[in-house]
Amino acid sequence: MRTKVAIIGAGPAGLLLGQLLHISGIDNVILERQTPEYVLGRIRAGLLEEGTVALLDEVGAGARAHREGLVHHGIELAFGGARHRIDMTAATGKTVMIYGQTEVTLDLMNARKAAGLTTVYEAADVKPQDFDSDRPRVSYLKDGVAHEIVCDFIAGCDGFHGVSRASVKPSAIQTFEREYPFGWLGILSETPPVNHELIYSNHARGFALCTMRSMRRSRYYVQCSLDDHIDQWPDVRFWEELKRRLDPQTVDNLVTGPSIEKSIAPLRSFVAEPMRFGRMFLAGDAAHIVPPTGAKGLNLAASDVHYLSGALREYYDEKSSAGIDGYSAKALTRVWKAVRFSWWMTAMLHKFPDQGEFGARIQLAELDYLVSSKAAMTSLSENYVGLPY
Ligand SMILES: Cc1cc2nc3c(=O)[nH]c(=O)nc-3n(C[C@H](O)[C@H](O)[C@H](O)COP(=O)(O)OP(=O)(O)OC[C@H]3O[C@@H](n4cnc5c(N)ncnc54)[C@H](O)[C@@H]3O)c2cc1C
């Protein structure tokens, strides 16, 4: 098979890149290790920046998000037994949208199907090859039969555990990492959300987050130990712990119900530099991971592929390599700002094992400053709604 861009991974980064390239007339093939059902079943992100929604619109996959997504103008911070609202729209003129990653993925999959583009699901042993040469290739097995795609470029959109970054020789890549000493235990339930906007809670027992996927489906998280297992967290225990970490008014409004999904995610900050290796580019979680506190992971995947598709368009339309040469530096500039914001939100809101009373007081002072200073609220809001592309 021959194509211009071979994309590895059919998560949000790979699917959105495929559509952005397609509308620019750049043919591409996606190779995905899992089945479509498996990809669609992964409950993950749920908050989209305006820039991400605009990209869905650009590829003609945004209609359902506008119909069903919930537009939010602010968030609430809970600490010291009370809630404090930050009006992000007043501070920035912008909004964010609640629309699940599963729905984004489905809309992009449907757009890809409607355009008749090739996606090979259940592609095994995918290997990017010769990306240091002018003739890169990707080999894979489908139903036990060996195949190869000859291409101009490879886009590694295969997430944190993918093969693309792992194929780069160690001397060509530098990584930066911070692991946090806790995880997030999350549940999804068919219950109305406790509040129409997100509540981030700093509590002596640990962080909690009240979020949602729709006005009928809620998503709640509590900070947990990395040693915890979901079997230790029956629903009753989860709801009790969540209530302990919320203010009395929120507890009164909380509707509990059976969980329909429950998982524990470790928290990590990670960046790989550069994001280009000859004729292979990395985008999304393949290149970087942020703790979900700032809701930036999916949005960074979108901004990466926005930069990458623009660079590839420039290469094919204008016969210029300037865009692809500048891709890594451009993407990393925005990535590091989101990494910083996600780290800062995480540091301010979670209970760290070694923070002591001093650390706890500093967090409360920072939160109090945040909700009483227009400058501080504007700074949080600018980052939360998404820095400009
Ligand atoms: C619990 C949780 C909550 C989150 N909450 C948020 C949030 O609120 N907001 C936010 O913005 N982000 C959030 N994120 C992060 C967000 O989900 C990711 O940043 C996003 O999925 C990145 O998309 P991606 O396409 O880069 O990677 P992925 O979604 O990981 O997709 C990569 C794809 O590549 C495939 N693949 C992997 N290896 C291979 C291979 N060898 N060959 C072929 N295919 C391969 C995988 O199967 C997968 O389909 C959350 C993540 C988690 C885990």
Side-chain angles (χ1 to χ4, degrees), residues 8-15 31-34 38-39 42-48 101 123-126 157-164 184 213 219 221 263-266 283-286 288-290 292 294-301:
I8 306 178
L15 288 167
L31 297 174
E32 165 61 50
R33 180 168 61 179
Q34 306 287 357
Y38 183 93
V39 173
R42 284 190 302 229
I43 307 292
R44 288 181 168 186
L47 190 141
L48 309 183
Q101 178 167 334
D125 203 18
V126 174
C157 300
D158 46 352
F160 185 65
H161 300 287
V163 67
S164 302
W184 275 20
R213 290 294 176 268
R219 182 88 168 141
Y221 295 99
S263 53
I264 292 179
D285 278 16
H288 41 73
I289 295 281
V290 285
K296 290 285 165 244
L298 172 58
N299 292 301
L300 277 183

Side-chain angles (χ1 to χ4, degrees), residues 76-321:
E76 297 204 21
L77 297 177
F79 57 95
R83 276 165 38 189
H84 308 261
R85 181 166 188 270
I86 295 191
D87 188 335
M88 297 185 306
T89 304
T92 64
K94 293 187 177 168
T95 59
V96 291
M97 183 188 278
I98 294 294
Y99 191 64
Q101 178 167 334
T102 44
E103 310 310 310
V104 171
T105 308
L106 179 62
D107 295 346
L108 288 168
M109 274 181 178
N110 286 338
R112 191 165 178 86
K113 209 182 287 169
L117 305 175
T118 309
T119 313
V120 181
Y121 284 97
E122 296 179 88
D125 203 18
V126 174
K127 283 197 189 112
Q129 311 211 28
D130 297 339
F131 46 86
D132 276 332
S133 77
D134 299 346
R135 213 170 172 279
R137 298 170 295 127
V138 183
S139 58
Y140 64 98
L141 297 175
K142 174 72 185 171
D143 300 327
V145 180
H147 296 265
E148 189 173 88
I149 302 180
V150 177
C151 53
D152 296 339
F153 297 102
I154 299 169
C157 300
D158 46 352
F160 185 65
H161 300 287
V163 67
S164 302
R165 194 182 70 248
S167 304
V168 175
K169 57 176 188 295
S171 59
I173 196 164
Q174 195 178 3
T175 58
F176 305 84
E177 186 160 17
R178 170 148 307 179
E179 283 180 7
Y180 299 87
F182 40 71
W184 275 20
L185 166 65
I187 69 161
L188 196 63
S189 65
E190 298 284 7
T191 52
V194 68
N195 187 43
H196 68 288
E197 290 173 341
L198 273 62
I199 302 173
Y200 288 82
S201 176
N202 170 303
H203 191 273
R205 293 183 66 87
F207 170 74
L209 171 63
C210 307
T211 177
M212 67 204 71
R213 290 294 176 268
S214 71
M215 289 315 284
R216 292 177 310 279
R217 188 171 276 197
S218 300
R219 182 88 168 141
Y220 295 101
Y221 295 99
V222 292
Q223 174 185 346
C224 66
S225 161
L226 281 173
D227 301 327
D228 282 2
H229 190 270
I230 50 170
D231 295 345
Q232 299 164 282
W233 284 93
D235 291 356
V236 175
R237 180 176 172 209
F238 179 89
W239 292 117
E240 274 172 13
E241 187 57 39
L242 178 66
K243 285 179 184 171
R244 287 197 192 107
R245 299 182 189 190
L246 299 174
D247 60 282
Q249 186 206 340
T250 310
V251 172
D252 282 351
N253 293 337
L254 183 70
V255 181
T256 62
S259 63
I260 53 172
E261 195 267 353
K262 192 184 284 168
S263 53
I264 292 179
L267 268 64
R268 172 188 281 134
S269 300
F270 173 89
V271 182
E273 293 188 359
M275 289 169 63
R276 177 195 179 185
F277 305 90
R279 286 184 167 251
M280 180 169 80
F281 305 92
L282 302 181
D285 278 16
H288 41 73
I289 295 281
V290 285
T293 329
K296 290 285 165 244
L298 172 58
N299 292 301
L300 277 183
S303 59
D304 284 355
V305 298
H306 162 74
Y307 292 135
L308 183 54
S309 59
L312 289 168
R313 202 179 313 127
E314 203 176 307
Y315 176 85
Y316 286 108
D317 290 356
E318 297 167 29
K319 313 277 177 272
S320 162
S321 297

